[in-house]
Amino acid sequence: MRTHIVSPAAPGRYPGIVFYSEIFQITAPIRRTAAFFAGHGYIVAMPEIYHEFEPAGTVYAYDQAGSDRGNALKTTKKLASYDADARAALDHLAARPDCTGKLGALGICIGGHLAFRAAMNPDVLGAACFYATDIHKGGLGEGMHDDSLERAKDIRGELLMIWGRQDPHIPLEGRMKVLARLNELGLRLNWHEVNGAHAFMRDEGPRYDPELAYSLYGIVLTFFHRKLSEGDLPAVAAARERPATRSFPAALRPRNVPLTATVDISPILSPSDLM
C-alpha cells in the first residue's frame, strides 16, 4: 500500500494523523492540505485508497472520467480491505521513532467516511470528517451495504463532523440520520454545518470557499491540538514520555520551529495487499 508521509522539518516526536483523500487519490489539493497539517506539528500519512486496483502513484483528474473511476472503485473494494488499510497505516505511525504514539484520523469526502471508520480503532483519539459521504445510506464498499452507523458504537475517541448544507451527496435527512445515531450512542461529538457545496474545502474548482476553508482548518487544528497534544497525557506519563519537540498551537509556536514539512513515500504492507 503506497502511503505518502508528510512530516515536520524540525527534529522531534509528533502525533500522527492518517489522512484520507477524496476518490481522486493523492491530488495536489490533498498534498497541500497534508503539508498544512504537517507544518503545524503532525506526521501525516496518506494511503492511496485504491492501491489494490491501480499502479502506485495513480491520481485521477477532477473531471467526469476521474469521478466515474473513483466512484466505481469505491463500491468494488471490500469493506474489510478499507479497515485493514486503516489498521496498517495506524500501526506504521505508532511504530515510527518520530511519532509520540498519539493518533488521529482526518478525511474528506469518501475520506471523511474512512476517517469515521478509522475511529473505530481504539487508539484513534480524535477523527475529523469533512462531508463524509455514504455514512447515512450505508453505501461504502462491495455490495454497497456498509455497517458504519452500526459500528459507530465502537468509537472511543472524539468526533468532529463538518458538513456543507448545500451538498447534494449528503442531504438534510441524511445528516440528521447520522446525528441521531451519534446522539443515541452518546459519543463525544462536535457537529458543524456551514453554507457550502460538496468539495468546498478543495482549493481547485468553482466550489472552493477559501473563507470557510480558513476558518474550518482552524477548528480542526484546535481539535487535534486538544486531542493529540502532550497535554492530554497524565502528568506522570507526560514527564516520562516528553518528546524532544512539542506540538504547539500556531500562535504559540517557538520561532525556531519551522512551519515546513518533509515528504516521503512509504510502502506499508496491508492485509488487503494479499487479498
Side-chain angles (χ1 to χ4, degrees):
M1 178 174 68
R2 181 168 175 152
T3 302
H4 304 245
I5 309 291
V6 187
S7 57
R13 297 173 64 231
Y14 298 91
I17 295 174
V18 179
F19 176 30
Y20 288 104
S21 70
E22 311 154 297
I23 59 171
F24 305 96
Q25 299 214 103
I26 313 303
T27 60
I30 294 296
R31 289 179 179 275
R32 288 190 287 270
T33 300
F36 171 83
F37 281 96
H40 284 80
Y42 299 93
I43 302 167
V44 182
M46 298 174 285
E48 294 185 358
I49 61 175
Y50 298 139
H51 61 93
E52 305 98 324
F53 306 99
E54 301 285 19
T58 297
V59 177
Y60 308 135
Y62 287 124
D63 58 19
Q64 192 59 53
S67 179
D68 290 346
R69 178 62 173 165
N71 278 316
L73 292 179
K74 178 178 72 173
T75 55
T76 299
K77 182 164 177 165
K78 296 180 183 297
L79 196 62
S81 295
Y82 286 119
D83 293 341
D85 291 352
R87 189 63 261 168
L90 291 166
D91 288 343
H92 170 80
L93 285 171
R96 291 177 63 98
D98 57 351
C99 183
T100 64
K102 303 195 80 173
L103 304 175
L106 169 68
I108 298 175
C109 189
I110 183 180
H113 193 157
L114 295 177
F116 184 87
R117 290 191 68 87
M120 298 168 190
N121 291 279
D123 48 351
V124 173
L125 301 178
C129 309
F130 283 100
Y131 36 89
T133 53
D134 297 317
I135 295 178
H136 65 289
K137 61 182 182 181
L140 179 66
E142 184 183 47
M144 300 177 65
H145 188 63
D146 71 65
D147 58 353
S148 295
L149 283 181
E150 169 59 27
R151 286 201 56 211
K153 66 181 184 295
D154 297 329
I155 296 174
R156 296 293 175 262
E158 189 168 338
L159 293 173
L160 172 59
M161 310 294 290
I162 297 173
W163 312 91
R165 298 182 67 247
Q166 288 75 43
D167 186 343
H169 298 287
I170 313 109
L172 175 61
E173 58 270 24
R175 300 194 304 274
M176 292 302 99
K177 180 178 180 180
V178 175
L179 179 59
R181 174 59 173 164
L182 300 183
N183 280 331
E184 174 191 353
L185 294 170
L187 299 184
R188 292 183 60 83
L189 173 66
N190 308 270
W191 187 275
H192 295 267
E193 294 195 14
V194 298
N195 289 305
H198 191 72
F200 67 85
M201 296 294 291
R202 184 200 301 156
D203 65 358
E204 289 183 12
R207 288 172 285 177
Y208 176 51
D209 189 319
E211 184 176 3
L212 281 179
Y214 177 82
S215 62
L216 291 172
Y217 279 141
I219 289 173
V220 176
L221 277 176
T222 299
F223 173 74
F224 281 136
H225 284 323
R226 177 167 56 82
K227 297 306 299 179
L228 305 184
S229 72
E230 184 184 343
D232 270 3
L233 289 172
V236 174
R240 184 173 61 249
E241 301 181 15
R242 186 178 305 277
T245 303
R246 289 189 58 181
S247 170
F248 291 89
L252 303 178
R253 187 180 302 276
R255 291 187 179 182
N256 63 342
V257 178
L259 292 176
T260 56
T262 58
V263 181
D264 184 25
I265 304 294
S266 296
I268 299 175
L269 182 62
S270 169
S272 67
D273 290 315
L274 309 177
M275 292 179 179

